[in-house]
């Protein structure tokens, strides 16, 4: 891991964004807790996604389905048979790896200038993966002389695979923790369509927890075993697959770009190895501190899921087209974004160490202002002459409308630094002038500029700087 990434992780803990789960027991691999500011930021990302989907599209309906589902769902969806991951262990370090990634990383690092050899290796890998030739992959690892970075040995086990779903103990039947939220949506296709009188094309959106027994889960919030997804399944006429696929690709990319995290941080990558359910797919990749990695996937799942659920449940999952008087199984375009990955994308691209006056530095979290967990902080300049009371009154008047902080525990410089570190866009300071003129100082996080405004302007200033409406207006369809 690199230094900047370590810094993000420690900053997250020190300032109450993310804590390791079960910290006092030494944690648990790839599971994290969100602290006060973490929850605030996460909820604001959710709100941005949820409003963009369900409020701006009158044909998208929200839902919140259960984590536990009838086991036949996972038989039908193919997860019990096909949701497997290959793994290999190094016997000396006891570290577990995905053999495909072991080979790809080796090739990326060591075969830089020989593109013919590189392509040949990757082609062989793909062929072995597609044809389940695990021994051949083992041989390729030996042929390339790949050593474990920790133990520096080639003492590898045979490659095996495990199912990535968590099975929970139950006396009468196997129950799984869902590995994706999508199946809850497919199973409710009839319910939603009928109860909301939806006409094709229409979508169903959901935010919820998913669980995957990831083999290599060593990248903080990027690869978790318990995580949240924001998924939307859009049901369409089969002949319109290409149109809606392109539409959602564009809309989703725009959603990301509107955050202004940096256009150069994103890259589209068309899927070459398609998952068992998809016919076309693209990843929106993001430049995380450890490289360009998948942030969101947009796929056409065609009629794969509804067809399989019809087969296994013996219930019709169809849509009646009046013109042709035919009952069809709609196609599905899916957009699937990991909330925790999105959180990490926002955090890692916004956390800055900036040079300020007198060769000093400040740590500032320049997150989009509408995502800030705290919208403004209110300080009395000193703890005397009624200044704390005036500040507290302002705080009490506005706290119903906005998440605010009232603070007086340190010097004003330190109070500013703390708010910078958690991404608070505005600080209001009450000083002696306030008593006479009813004005206060407002200080802006990004520029550190200050100006005086009337107390009556505080509310408008917060609204103008932090409102989600500014951004929703940009993407209104
Ligand atoms: P990857 O190839 O990185 O494992 P995936 O292709 O398996 O991801 P999908 O099944 O398409 O991912 O899941 C949709 C989204 O859910 C991903 O784009 C990602 O943002 C998020 N996601 C998937 N697995 C995890 C995980 N283990 N931890 C956090 N987020 C995840």
């Amino acid at each position: 891991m690199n230094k900047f990434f370590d810094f993000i992780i420690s900053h997250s803990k020190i300032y109450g964004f993310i804590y390791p789960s079960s910290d006092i027991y030494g944690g648990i691999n790839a599971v994290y807790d969100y602290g006060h500011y973490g929850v605030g930021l996460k909820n604001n990302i959710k709100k941005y996604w949820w409003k963009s989907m369900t409020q701006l599209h009158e044909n998208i309906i929200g839902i919140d389905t259960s984590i536990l589902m009838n086991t036949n769902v996972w038989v039908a969806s193919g997860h019990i048979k096909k949701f497997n991951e290959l793994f290999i262990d190094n016997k000396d370090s006891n570290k577990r790896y995905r053999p495909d990634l072991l080979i790809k990383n080796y090739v990326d690092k060591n075969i830089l200038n020989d593109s013919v050899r590189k392509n040949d290796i990757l082609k062989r890998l793909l062929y072995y993966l597609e044809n389940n030739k695990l021994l051949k992959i083992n041989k390729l690892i030996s042929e390339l002389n790949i050593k474990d970075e920790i133990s520096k040995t080639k003492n590898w086990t045979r490659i095996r695979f495990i199912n990535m779903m968590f099975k929970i103990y139950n006396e009468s039947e196997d129950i799984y923790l869902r590995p994706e939220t999508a199946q809850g949506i497919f199973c409710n296709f009839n319910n939603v369509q009928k109860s909301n009188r939806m006409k094709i094309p229409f979508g169903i959106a959901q935010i919820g927890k998913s669980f995957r027994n990831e083999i290599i889960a060593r990248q903080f919030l990027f690869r978790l075993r318990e995580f949240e997804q924001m998924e939307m399944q859009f049901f369409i006429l089969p002949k319109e697959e290409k149109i809606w696929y392109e539409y959602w690709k564009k809309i989703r990319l725009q959603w990301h770009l509107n955050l202004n995290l940096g256009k150069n941080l994103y890259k589209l990558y068309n899927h070459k190895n398609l998952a068992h359910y998809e016919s076309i797919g693209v990843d929106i990749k993001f430049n995380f501190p450890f490289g360009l990695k998948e942030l969101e996937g947009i796929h056409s799942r065609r009629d794969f899921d509804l067809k399989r659920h019809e087969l296994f449940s013996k219930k019709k999952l169809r849509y009646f087209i009046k013109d042709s008087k035919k009952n069809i199984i709609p196609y599905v375009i899916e957009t699937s974004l990991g909330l925790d990955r999105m959180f990490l994308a926002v955090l890692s691209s916004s956390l800055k160490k900036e040079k300020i006056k007198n060769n000093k530095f400040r740590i500032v979290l320049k997150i989009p202002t509408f995502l800030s967990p705290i919208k403004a902080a209110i300080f009395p300049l000193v703890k005397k002459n009624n200044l704390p009371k005036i500040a507290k009154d302002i705080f009490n008047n506005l706290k119903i409308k906005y998440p605010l902080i009232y603070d007086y525990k340190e010097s004003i410089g330190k109070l500013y630094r703390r708010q910078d570190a958690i991404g608070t866009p505005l600080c209001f300071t009450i000083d002696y002038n306030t008593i006479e003129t009813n004005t206060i100082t407002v200080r802006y996080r990004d520029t550190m500029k200050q100006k005086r405004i009337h107390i009556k302007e505080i509310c408008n200033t917060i609204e103008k700087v932090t409102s989600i409406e500014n951004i929703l207006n940009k993407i209104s369809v």
Side-chain angles (χ1 to χ4, degrees):
M1 273 203 251
N2 60 43
K3 261 187 168 171
F4 178 58
F5 194 40
D6 286 343
F7 169 61
I8 294 171
I9 297 170
S10 72
H11 185 89
S12 301
K13 187 172 177 188
I14 292 167
Y15 284 97
F17 284 88
I18 305 287
Y19 311 118
S21 161
S22 336
D23 205 7
I24 54 168
Y25 289 98
I28 163 172
N29 194 17
V31 189
Y32 287 89
D33 297 336
Y34 283 78
H36 184 69
Y37 301 125
V39 183
L41 173 54
K42 183 159 91 152
N43 282 344
N44 290 339
I45 297 174
K46 279 190 199 177
K47 203 196 275 177
Y48 175 41
W49 186 89
W50 188 254
K51 280 181 183 260
S52 308
M53 284 296 180
T54 64
Q55 207 165 307
L56 299 190
H57 293 89
E58 63 209 55
N59 58 352
I60 297 183
I61 293 295
I63 197 169
D64 183 8
T65 70
S66 58
I67 286 169
L68 304 180
M69 299 183 78
N70 187 308
T71 297
N72 288 325
V73 170
W74 308 114
V75 179
S77 69
H79 280 85
I80 287 185
K81 247 193 179 159
K82 295 197 171 154
F83 197 54
N84 299 322
E85 199 78 276
L86 294 180
F87 70 92
I88 186 167
D89 292 328
N90 181 277
K91 291 186 205 161
D92 298 320
S93 68
N94 286 326
K95 281 277 170 205
R96 181 159 284 185
Y97 299 88
R98 262 174 58 185
D100 52 335
L101 294 185
L102 206 59
I103 293 171
K104 279 183 190 154
N105 288 342
Y106 174 85
V107 166
D108 282 344
K109 267 195 199 155
N110 298 289
I111 311 182
L112 297 172
N113 301 323
D114 190 347
S115 58
V116 177
R117 178 146 184 258
K118 191 169 166 176
N119 284 342
D120 173 61
I121 294 169
L122 294 179
K123 241 169 131 182
R124 278 166 66 193
L125 173 65
L126 189 63
Y127 174 78
Y128 299 153
L129 287 170
E130 280 176 354
N131 294 285
N132 230 354
K133 295 193 179 296
L134 305 190
L135 270 179
K136 292 274 188 196
I137 304 178
N138 259 119
K139 277 198 177 144
L140 186 58
I141 290 174
S142 324
E143 185 188 315
L144 294 172
N145 241 333
I146 298 181
K147 291 183 188 147
D148 176 23
E149 282 191 351
I150 297 165
S151 67
K152 313 284 180 215
T153 70
K154 295 183 284 178
N155 200 2
W156 299 109
T157 58
R158 277 181 68 162
I159 294 168
R160 285 165 292 162
F161 53 79
I162 49 168
N163 191 282
M164 285 174 69
M165 283 197 291
F166 282 105
K167 201 191 276 187
I168 48 176
Y169 178 73
N170 187 302
E171 274 173 14
S172 53
E173 57 178 335
D174 287 341
I175 294 188
Y176 295 90
L177 297 181
R178 69 178 174 197
E180 62 175 25
T181 54
Q183 298 306 325
I185 288 181
F186 294 125
C187 291
N188 275 292
F189 171 76
N190 282 344
N191 288 338
V192 172
Q193 195 265 323
K194 292 203 169 75
S195 59
N196 297 282
R197 297 168 299 142
M198 300 310 289
K199 294 212 173 339
I200 267 178
F202 73 91
I204 308 178
Q206 153 154 251
I207 301 175
K209 287 237 171 172
S210 292
F211 302 80
R212 293 183 189 179
N213 196 6
E214 295 280 1
I215 290 167
I216 19 170
R218 295 174 204 139
Q219 282 163 324
F220 194 36
L221 301 180
F222 181 81
R223 195 170 294 287
L224 299 171
R225 294 195 292 164
E226 173 177 343
F227 58 100
E228 264 181 282
Q229 290 183 307
M230 305 195 282
E231 294 201 299
M232 194 277 301
Q233 272 67 37
F234 200 69
F235 299 90
I236 56 168
L237 293 175
K239 64 178 182 194
E240 294 180 351
E241 180 188 26
K242 191 99 185 75
I243 301 171
W244 288 113
Y245 175 69
E246 292 302 330
Y247 173 84
W248 280 109
K249 210 160 104 177
K250 195 170 126 213
I251 294 276
R252 291 306 306 146
L253 186 61
Q254 199 51 50
W255 185 91
H256 288 281
L257 295 181
N258 283 338
L259 289 168
N260 272 331
L261 301 180
K263 200 174 172 187
N264 57 329
L265 296 176
Y266 299 88
K267 203 162 188 188
L268 290 180
Y269 172 83
N270 291 318
H271 286 192
K272 291 193 184 97
N273 306 336
L274 297 168
H276 64 270
Y277 52 76
E278 66 176 328
S279 64
I280 24 173
V282 65
D283 288 342
I284 299 179
K285 293 204 177 207
F286 187 82
N287 202 0
F288 289 98
F290 40 85
L292 196 65
K293 303 269 179 208
E294 172 177 343
L295 174 60
E296 171 160 7
I298 296 136
H299 324 112
S300 170
R301 296 178 78 126
R302 295 207 165 157
D303 53 4
F304 177 86
D305 303 85
L306 290 181
K307 225 181 194 165
R308 296 276 298 177
H309 286 305
E310 261 205 11
L311 186 70
F312 282 79
S313 68
K314 313 267 182 296
K315 301 276 175 352
K316 289 270 174 252
L317 294 169
R318 301 202 169 211
Y319 180 82
F320 181 69
I321 301 178
K322 271 193 190 145
D323 294 352
S324 61
K325 304 217 165 10
K326 274 193 184 147
N327 271 308
I328 62 142
I329 302 185
Y331 271 21
V332 172
I333 304 296
E334 144 181 288
T335 72
S336 179
L337 171 62
L339 177 55
D340 314 83
R341 279 191 196 178
M342 191 62 217
F343 185 100
L344 184 58
V346 171
L347 199 69
S348 61
S349 57
S350 307
L351 191 59
K352 316 269 179 209
K353 190 174 177 184
E354 270 186 4
K355 206 168 183 182
I356 48 173
K357 277 190 282 181
N358 304 333
N359 265 344
K360 285 196 174 146
F361 287 90
R362 70 163 180 159
I363 306 297
V364 53
L365 188 60
K366 289 187 163 174
I367 40 181
T369 51
F370 76 97
L371 294 184
S372 294
I374 300 295
K375 300 303 177 209
I378 297 168
F379 313 133
L381 183 65
V382 286
K383 279 182 260 174
K384 29 183 197 192
N385 293 66
N386 212 26
L387 298 188
K389 180 172 182 319
I390 302 174
K392 197 68 198 277
D393 284 348
I394 294 173
F395 171 82
N396 281 336
N397 280 336
L398 291 173
K399 73 180 180 192
I400 295 175
K401 215 164 171 195
Y402 304 105
L404 301 176
I405 277 182
Y406 166 72
D407 204 352
Y408 57 87
K409 292 183 204 106
E410 289 169 293
S411 68
I412 195 75
K414 284 193 179 148
L415 291 176
Y416 284 154
R417 286 295 98 80
R418 185 172 170 80
Q419 295 311 314
D420 284 346
I422 62 166
T424 307
L426 298 165
C427 292
F428 299 102
T429 305
I430 283 72
D431 55 24
Y432 291 118
N433 266 338
T434 310
I435 300 171
E436 281 160 23
T437 61
N438 266 337
T439 60
I440 48 109
T441 307
V442 51
R443 182 239 192 212
Y444 294 87
R445 176 195 71 194
D446 292 350
T447 57
M448 296 198 294
K449 288 214 167 108
Q450 302 191 6
K451 71 174 187 189
R452 278 202 94 75
I453 60 168
H454 195 276
I455 285 182
K456 281 190 192 150
E457 290 175 78
I458 297 179
C459 190
N460 266 347
T461 307
I462 301 177
E463 192 61 30
K464 213 164 112 193
V465 173
T466 67
S467 165
I468 192 173
E469 279 168 36
N470 303 336
I471 194 152
L472 290 179
N473 267 330
K474 275 202 218 165
I475 53 170
S476 184
V477 280

